[in-house]
Amino acid sequence: MRRVIIAGNWKMNKTISESIELVNGLKRELFGVESIDIVLIPPYTALSGISDMLTDSNIELGAQDLHWEEKGAFTGEVSPVMLKDVGVKYVVIGHSERRTYFGETNETVNKKVKAALREGLLPIMCIGEHLEEREAGKAFDVIEDHLRGGLKGIAGEDALKIVIAYEPVWAIGTGKTATPEQAEEAHKYIRGLLAKIYDKTVAEGLRIQYGGSVKPENIKELINEPDIDGALVGGASLKVEQFVPIVKGSLKKGA
Ligand code: 13P
């Protein structure tokens, strides 16, 4: 049985004081929710403070990116060692915004996934097609390319530690969610590919999250799909009154 994982990717939002307010609200409202994994992914500047706030809580900490080197002359970058040091458990890798605006490729994603695993961090590896690719009938080719590229050279036992986030780019921040059927179709396809790349154990054990305009109104129908194991939430993770019902709407599956 795969454990449900609901993660809030705050992207480039929240000052320290805003972060503290949000985390206090979430801790209060989500106290005692233990049957699923809840992860907050704030900007780097808030990691240390939030890490302290989450000590002994049921909520875990994630980061939005990392560099693959351990240390050195890489101005502006943050290493896996540093993330581990601040108490991070999960790290988002290859988000479509990183691929689109900052030149991430399958090769850099693959290096980052390997570096995260080396340091004992759990990667949330993002994959997904653009609208033009879907309209051209190429969605599944893109998914396969991102998946195979990102997982290159990674052994099955390590792959099991990875969470795949399927985020169709046309659904991110647009209010246009993939239908549960469209999302399930993609997730099932990804699981089929994992069985081909690895084996049944990896395909059945690895968690696949859906991301793209997840809201309190659509979480239940998404999470009810057999191959959807959670959500990577953007905009709706910035407000207590939206993130809490998303977490609670996923509990039935996690119970
Ligand atoms: P939205 O939920 O704002 O569409 O963002 C999804 C996302 O990119 C999460 O990583």
Side-chain angles (χ1 to χ4, degrees):
M1 194 58 194
R2 298 181 295 271
R3 194 169 155 88
V4 168
I5 173 166
I6 303 292
N9 174 11
W10 297 5
K11 307 190 180 182
M12 197 172 73
N13 292 291
K14 302 287 178 193
T15 60
I16 304 283
S17 60
E18 289 165 347
S19 304
I20 292 172
E21 191 185 335
L22 177 56
V23 174
N24 274 331
L26 293 174
K27 273 177 72 177
R28 189 176 56 240
E29 298 292 327
L30 296 174
F31 181 78
V33 176
E34 305 282 355
S35 57
I36 65 172
D37 290 336
I38 308 167
V39 186
L40 303 184
I41 309 175
Y44 289 133
T45 46
L47 282 175
S48 175
I50 296 182
S51 181
D52 290 343
M53 290 177 78
L54 296 181
T55 312
D56 298 327
S57 105
N58 55 332
I59 303 176
E60 297 174 303
L61 190 62
Q64 296 180 15
D65 190 21
L66 83 176
H67 192 269
W68 54 83
E69 296 288 344
E70 259 181 50
K71 62 178 173 179
F74 300 98
T75 301
E77 296 293 325
V78 173
S79 81
V81 179
M82 293 166 180
L83 293 182
K84 192 82 187 166
D85 185 45
V86 77
V88 159
K89 180 168 176 186
Y90 292 90
V91 58
V92 173
I93 296 172
H95 191 281
S96 64
E97 288 147 19
R98 302 289 323 163
R99 293 181 193 255
T100 305
Y101 307 134
F102 303 101
E104 290 268 356
T105 62
N106 283 341
E107 286 69 37
T108 57
V109 169
N110 182 242
K111 280 181 168 184
K112 290 180 176 190
V113 171
K114 286 178 177 160
L117 289 168
R118 214 167 38 235
E119 200 51 42
L121 296 163
L122 305 179
I124 298 180
M125 187 180 103
C126 302
I127 64 176
E129 80 285 358
H130 285 266
L131 182 61
E132 313 80 73
E133 293 163 335
R134 177 158 282 260
E135 286 175 344
K138 297 210 168 86
F140 292 94
D141 294 341
V142 174
I143 290 171
E144 176 160 8
D145 178 58
H146 285 177
L147 191 72
R148 286 189 185 274
L151 294 176
K152 208 169 173 183
I154 292 168
E157 63 189 273
D158 279 334
L160 274 168
K161 298 173 194 153
I162 300 172
V163 177
I164 302 291
Y166 170 61
E167 299 205 306
V169 181
W170 47 273
I172 296 179
T174 56
K176 196 173 166 190
T177 326
T179 64
E181 294 74 27
Q182 280 174 322
E184 170 60 20
E185 186 188 26
H187 283 226
K188 200 167 175 177
Y189 179 71
I190 293 165
R191 225 176 278 292
L193 284 173
L194 289 168
K196 274 197 218 159
I197 300 170
Y198 297 104
D199 53 28
K200 207 164 166 242
T201 312
V202 174
E204 310 251 300
L206 191 152
R207 297 184 289 179
I208 309 174
Q209 288 179 308
Y210 169 77
S213 297
V214 173
K215 304 182 207 71
E217 297 78 38
N218 57 26
I219 184 64
K220 283 193 185 144
E221 53 182 15
L222 287 163
I223 204 75
N224 275 337
E225 295 291 341
D227 289 295
I228 299 184
D229 307 315
L232 185 55
V233 186
S237 71
L238 299 173
K239 292 195 170 132
V240 176
E241 62 276 18
Q242 288 186 14
F243 195 59
V244 168
I246 290 175
V247 171
K248 293 199 170 161
S250 318
L251 287 181
K252 203 163 147 243
K253 190 162 182 175

